[in-house]
Amino acid sequence: NVHLHKTNRTAIEEAIMTASSSTMNRVEKPKPSVAARRGGAISVPEPMDVLSGRGGAVNSHEGNKRYRELVNLMKAEYLSDTTRKNQKTQIAANIVRTIRNSKLPGRFLKQDPETNMWYEIGDKAAFRKTGQALRENSADFLRSREKKVAASHETGLAVSLASYHYCFPPQQTYMKPQLSNLSGIDAVHAH
């Protein structure tokens, strides 16, 4: 199983959600840099590639496990009432870039059913796929989070904001992750 060490999660969140006060009030749509089918046909995906599709083989692929963990790490911020549409697009794009630019990089691939070869889906499709993954089971996620918050208040325990809602001051802009800060994502290991 691939997982991110708990101590590295905050660093990863910060890398994905780098805020910049120099461009407050301005959230730009992310620009795709990887084209669909870049690199041609691929017969065997690499371990950290993110595979599109359904089923056990795709779900159990190491790259998909890492991808789901990053998506789950950022889901609370994405689903927050205070996160604007362009900020949500940036969150999705930054997850894609984090996967692509880590020390153990991954591509976003889809299998051609006729040839059984894999092809890069490109940034546009990867951004859409990630946005959908962030929205997946959102009602259940929000209900579960509300129950955890309510239970912690009943028992008198303080709820860590970092665990349930990663907050940024109003009007800050989400920017591309600083790749020098991404060492935490590479603290991935197999069990």
Side-chain angles (χ1 to χ4, degrees), residues 26-57:
R26 194 171 155 207
V27 178
E28 293 183 16
K29 188 175 181 181
K31 292 178 177 50
S33 60
V34 176
R37 293 196 167 247
R38 181 175 99 177
I42 300 158
S43 57
V44 179
E46 295 292 325
M48 290 299 142
D49 290 338
V50 177
L51 309 180
S52 294
R54 300 192 178 275

Side-chain angles (χ1 to χ4, degrees), residues 116-132:
N116 286 332
M117 298 298 284
W118 294 87
Y119 292 90
E120 170 65 56
I121 66 172
D123 277 348
K124 282 185 181 181
F127 296 168
R128 281 192 306 270
K129 172 187 176 70
T130 304
Q132 178 61 41

Side-chain angles (χ1 to χ4, degrees), residues 101-166:
N101 297 321
S102 66
K103 282 185 187 174
L104 300 171
R107 300 167 290 187
F108 287 78
L109 306 178
K110 184 170 185 170
Q111 192 171 37
D112 181 327
E114 293 180 17
T115 65
N116 286 332
M117 298 298 284
W118 294 87
Y119 292 90
E120 170 65 56
I121 66 172
D123 277 348
K124 282 185 181 181
F127 296 168
R128 281 192 306 270
K129 172 187 176 70
T130 304
Q132 178 61 41
L134 286 159
R135 290 186 298 276
E136 196 170 81
N137 301 319
S138 58
D140 293 340
F141 177 84
L142 292 170
R143 265 194 305 276
S144 170
R145 193 175 73 181
E146 287 171 9
K147 285 180 185 177
K148 288 177 184 176
V149 170
S152 69
H153 288 315
E154 287 173 13
T155 60
L157 297 175
V159 177
S160 168
L161 285 176
S163 299
Y164 296 105
H165 185 240
Y166 198 82

Side-chain angles (χ1 to χ4, degrees), residues 171-186:
Q171 302 208 358
Q172 283 196 336
T173 303
Y174 300 116
M175 302 300 292
K176 182 176 178 182
Q178 299 298 314
L179 298 180
S180 61
N181 296 336
L182 291 181
S183 60
I185 187 66
D186 298 313

